[in-house]
């Protein structure tokens, strides 16, 4: 019933945006209405693991026109940052999480399993007090066009979810007094327009927890109105938590999943 209700919300959004010329579901209309950005609507090349084939290709942006999504490759084992398209439906628990970074905790996309979504990996060393020169997880438009984000659907990865729920070797699960959140910043002309915060763990609740009878954070996906960001040059995402180690580093792996976003131009 929960899944059906959520799909009805998505369907209503698609119908409401159906006349927009920028809507990937059709081809005509007015740009004053909201468009749906849905990773599942794109023909993305996946490898045999159902992960974007260029996940470890340096200097490669994610090809989801009209948007430009950041992606970079680090020097560590299976290290990358930014966005990575995925169709992984495996929600099992693993000990070698570096080889299983790309699974949505819901087992699929906003529209269901076997559909594409975007896994995001934030840079845990990024400055949270000012705009980074090159944000690790950033969305802009082709030709530097401005846009206004409206609604966004986010959830956790299995790596992040199980780290919060059951912990990892040497890392206990998150306590009810600790929280983890995703901060979404709008930027225009070099200044923050506004910031929206989406909690994925708070007061003992975890986003995507299938065992929660009443979950204020969302059962599978969190739907957030982010229109307060206004017209922007780009938006960027960071993760923040009160759960830190002795060196002040965030213990929870800084991954999340972007399922869809509506926007206007």
């Amino acid at each position: 019933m929960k899944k059906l209700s959520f799909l009805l919300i998505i369907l209503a959004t698609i119908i409401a945006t159906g006349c927009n010329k920028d809507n990937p579901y059709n081809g005509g209309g007015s740009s004053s209405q909201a468009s749906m950005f849905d990773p599942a609507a794109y023909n993305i090349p996946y490898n045999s693991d159902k992960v974007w084939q260029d996940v470890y290709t340096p200097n490669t942006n994610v090809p989801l026109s009209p948007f430009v999504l950041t992606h970079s490759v680090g020097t560590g084992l299976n290290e990358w940052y930014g966005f990575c398209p995925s169709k992984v439906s495996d929600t099992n628990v693993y000990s070698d999480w570096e080889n299983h970074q790309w699974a949505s905790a819901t087992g699929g996309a906003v529209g269901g399993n076997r559909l594409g979504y975007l896994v995001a990996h934030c840079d845990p060393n990024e400055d949270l007090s000012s705009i980074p020169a090159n944000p690790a997880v950033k969305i802009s438009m082709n030709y530097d066009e401005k846009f206004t984000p409206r609604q966004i659907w986010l959830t956790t990865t299995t790596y992040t979810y199980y780290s919060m729920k059951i912990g990892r070797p040497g890392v206990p699960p998150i306590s009810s007094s600790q929280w983890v959140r995703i901060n979404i910043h709008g930027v225009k002309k070099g200044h923050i327009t506004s910031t929206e915060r989406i909690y994925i763990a708070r007061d003992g609740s975890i986003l995507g927890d299938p065992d929660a009878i009443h979950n204020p954070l969302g059962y599978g996906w969190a739907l957030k109105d982010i229109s307060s960001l206004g017209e922007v040059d780009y938006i960027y995402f960071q993760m923040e938590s009160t759960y830190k180690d002795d060196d002040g580093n965030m213990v929870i792996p800084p991954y999340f999943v972007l399922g869809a976003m509506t926007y206007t131009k």
Side-chain angles (χ1 to χ4, degrees):
M1 179 63 71
K2 294 174 184 176
K3 182 176 181 180
L4 177 60
S5 298
F6 193 83
L7 291 178
L8 289 175
I9 293 173
I10 293 293
L11 180 60
T13 305
I14 293 172
I15 292 172
T17 62
C19 294
N20 192 321
K21 68 179 181 181
D22 299 313
N23 189 345
Y25 293 95
N26 66 26
S30 168
S31 61
S32 63
Q33 295 176 308
S35 299
M36 174 69 81
F37 170 58
D38 182 359
Y42 292 82
N43 184 20
I44 296 169
Y46 293 98
N47 61 24
S48 59
D49 295 322
K50 299 183 181 179
V51 177
W52 180 43
Q53 67 178 18
D54 289 316
V55 60
Y56 293 124
T57 302
N59 304 315
T60 305
N61 288 322
V62 184
L64 299 183
S65 181
F67 289 101
V68 177
L69 290 80
T70 53
H71 181 84
S72 62
V73 178
T75 57
L77 176 65
N78 296 340
E79 183 181 9
W80 63 275
Y81 297 100
F83 289 99
C84 176
S86 173
K87 293 178 70 174
V88 176
S89 57
D90 176 12
T91 59
N92 291 321
V93 179
Y94 291 93
S95 57
D96 58 334
W97 280 115
E98 68 276 2
N99 294 315
H100 302 277
Q101 306 173 48
W102 307 278
S104 166
T106 67
V110 171
N113 294 344
R114 297 183 297 277
L115 297 176
Y117 51 87
L118 292 169
V119 174
H121 185 196
C122 300
D123 183 349
N125 299 313
E126 207 165 70
D127 187 1
L128 300 178
S129 63
S130 61
I131 303 173
N134 297 293
V137 184
K138 170 185 169 182
I139 298 177
S140 58
M141 292 199 81
N142 289 335
Y143 313 111
D144 297 323
E145 285 190 88
K146 294 177 174 55
F147 67 101
T148 301
R150 296 295 182 181
Q151 293 181 311
I152 197 165
W153 286 263
L154 301 178
T155 191
T156 57
T157 65
T158 53
Y159 185 11
T160 304
Y161 174 79
Y162 285 118
S163 293
M164 295 187 290
K165 182 71 173 179
I166 63 175
R168 307 190 309 278
V171 178
I174 195 167
S175 72
S176 60
S177 64
Q178 297 163 325
W179 53 257
V180 183
R181 70 188 182 196
I182 302 166
N183 299 330
I184 309 174
H185 308 279
V187 177
K188 185 177 181 180
K189 296 181 179 179
H191 298 282
I192 297 287
T193 59
S194 185
T195 297
E196 287 287 352
R197 297 173 175 86
I198 300 178
Y199 286 86
I200 63 173
R202 188 180 190 181
D203 299 327
S205 296
I206 299 175
L207 177 62
D209 190 343
D211 298 323
I213 298 175
H214 301 289
N215 192 341
L217 303 181
Y219 295 98
W221 296 86
L223 170 58
K224 179 74 171 180
D225 183 343
I226 58 172
S227 57
S228 68
L229 301 182
E231 186 181 66
V232 299
D233 295 319
Y234 64 88
I235 59 175
Y236 72 97
F237 302 75
Q238 295 177 317
M239 288 183 67
E240 185 178 9
S241 177
T242 54
Y243 190 8
K244 299 179 181 179
D245 61 21
D246 294 338
D247 295 322
N249 300 314
M250 189 170 73
V251 172
I252 299 302
Y255 296 78
F256 66 89
V257 176
L258 193 162
M261 181 179 71
T262 59
Y263 66 97
T264 55
K265 291 201 301 180

